[in-house]
Amino acid sequence: DAGVTQSPTHLIKTRGQQVTLRCSPKSGHDTVSWYQQALGQGPQFIFQYYEEEERQRGNFPDRFSGHQYPNYSSELNVNALLLGDSALYLCASSQTLTAAGELFFGEGSRLTVL
Amino acid sequence: AQKITQTQPGMFVQEKEAVTLDCTYDTSDPSYGLFWYKQPSSGEMIFLIYQGSYDQQNATEGRYSLNFQKARKSANLVISASQLGDSAMYFCAMREGPGSGAGSYQLTFGKGTKLSVIP
């Protein structure tokens, strides 16, 4: 049973560029959340997708956008990259009806902005 | 105010000993959930244990137990019989609101505690 898979694992961009990160949720999961983890910090919630719609959003600017496809996979897009966007981007999936709300995380995409 | 506070940036423990990682939280929502995750150097966040605000008993999962003191708003993780593979970052996290339905899985994380197990 494949867990949450993310791609790419590492990437380097320059300021002002745009990046797309991809996530395939764990089998049977229909909800995808994205988190940003800066070096030495805990993850911060970016947004959550369910039924192909953004359901909740954290305190992130509109440069951060996403999408969820009918197969539940998801993309995170970041436009006009800033140096401060350098971080580990974690995707987490869950099954909506799970009472405990346990999230399963992928290994993340490490973005470096130069 | 910080919603999740982990006051120990780093901890050392001897192999086979028990260790307690501290976590305090702040919320006015009567319904919430508390989580502990382990993050090895690979980056993946591994779920360890969950405690719901209405759960009467402290959660346990194998060598992990959660010391839940609701009045003090603390949710400390206890790892018994530490192993070398336990060396990692440990994060405490909170979900505010009920755990069912769409849009209920936003977690707020603390800054983490780096645990090092000494042979």
Side-chain angles (χ1 to χ4, degrees), chain B residues 75-92:
Chain B
N76 298 339
L77 175 70
V78 180
I79 305 174
S80 62
S82 297
Q83 302 172 355
L84 295 178
D86 293 335
S87 294
M89 286 293 293
Y90 288 80
F91 291 93
C92 179

Side-chain angles (χ1 to χ4, degrees), chain A residues 16-20 62-65 77-82 85:
Chain A
Q17 285 190 309
Q18 178 263 345
V19 68
T20 297
D62 292 344
R63 298 187 297 107
F64 290 76
S65 63
N77 300 294
V78 187
N79 294 323
L81 284 168
L82 304 173
D85 295 331

Side-chain angles (χ1 to χ4, degrees), chain A residues 1-42:
Chain A
D1 178 22
V4 179
T5 58
Q6 293 186 242
S7 63
T9 54
H10 294 83
L11 70 166
I12 300 173
K13 293 285 187 178
T14 56
R15 280 180 298 174
Q17 285 190 309
Q18 178 263 345
V19 68
T20 297
L21 308 178
R22 295 176 175 82
C23 172
S24 292
K26 182 177 169 64
S27 178
H29 286 187
D30 55 6
T31 301
V32 173
S33 303
W34 286 92
Y35 288 78
Q36 180 196 64
Q37 186 177 18
L39 198 61
Q41 302 293 318

Side-chain angles (χ1 to χ4, degrees), chain A residues 35 37 41-43 45 48 50 56 88 90 94-96 98-103 105-107, chain B residues 35 37 39 42-45 47 50 91 95 99-107 109-111:
Chain A
Y35 288 78
Q37 186 177 18
Q41 302 293 318
F45 176 77
Q48 178 192 68
Y50 170 67
Q56 254 187 324
L88 179 68
L90 294 164
S94 54
Q95 212 276 352
T96 309
T98 302
E102 178 184 335
L103 295 182
F105 284 83
E107 292 193 358
Chain B
F35 301 77
Y37 281 86
Q39 187 177 41
S42 63
E44 181 182 2
M45 300 286 282
F47 168 76
Y50 165 81
F91 291 93
R95 180 209 68 235
S100 59
S104 57
Y105 301 126
Q106 177 179 347
L107 296 186
F109 285 82
K111 292 187 175 182

Side-chain angles (χ1 to χ4, degrees), chain B:
Chain B
Q2 294 275 348
K3 289 202 171 187
I4 296 287
T5 302
Q6 294 182 254
T7 57
Q8 306 153 315
M11 289 280 287
F12 289 89
V13 63
Q14 205 75 36
E15 195 178 3
K16 300 180 185 177
E17 298 289 312
V19 63
T20 298
L21 306 184
D22 295 342
C23 172
T24 57
Y25 60 93
D26 183 28
T27 181
S28 57
D29 198 318
S31 178
Y32 54 89
L34 297 160
F35 301 77
W36 277 91
Y37 281 86
K38 172 184 178 181
Q39 187 177 41
S41 55
S42 63
E44 181 182 2
M45 300 286 282
I46 301 168
F47 168 76
L48 296 178
I49 197 166
Y50 165 81
Q51 180 86 42
S53 59
Y54 295 118
D55 293 344
Q56 294 297 314
Q57 292 188 322
N58 286 347
T60 60
E61 290 284 350
R63 295 187 298 111
Y64 305 107
S65 60
L66 200 152
N67 184 3
F68 182 45
Q69 298 187 44
K70 198 169 183 177
R72 297 180 60 185
K73 293 189 175 180
S74 74
N76 298 339
L77 175 70
V78 180
I79 305 174
S80 62
S82 297
Q83 302 172 355
L84 295 178
D86 293 335
S87 294
M89 286 293 293
Y90 288 80
F91 291 93
C92 179
M94 177 174 63
R95 180 209 68 235
E96 292 175 282
S100 59
S104 57
Y105 301 126
Q106 177 179 347
L107 296 186
T108 301
F109 285 82
K111 292 187 175 182
T113 296
K114 184 175 182 179
L115 178 66
S116 299
V117 180
I118 305 166

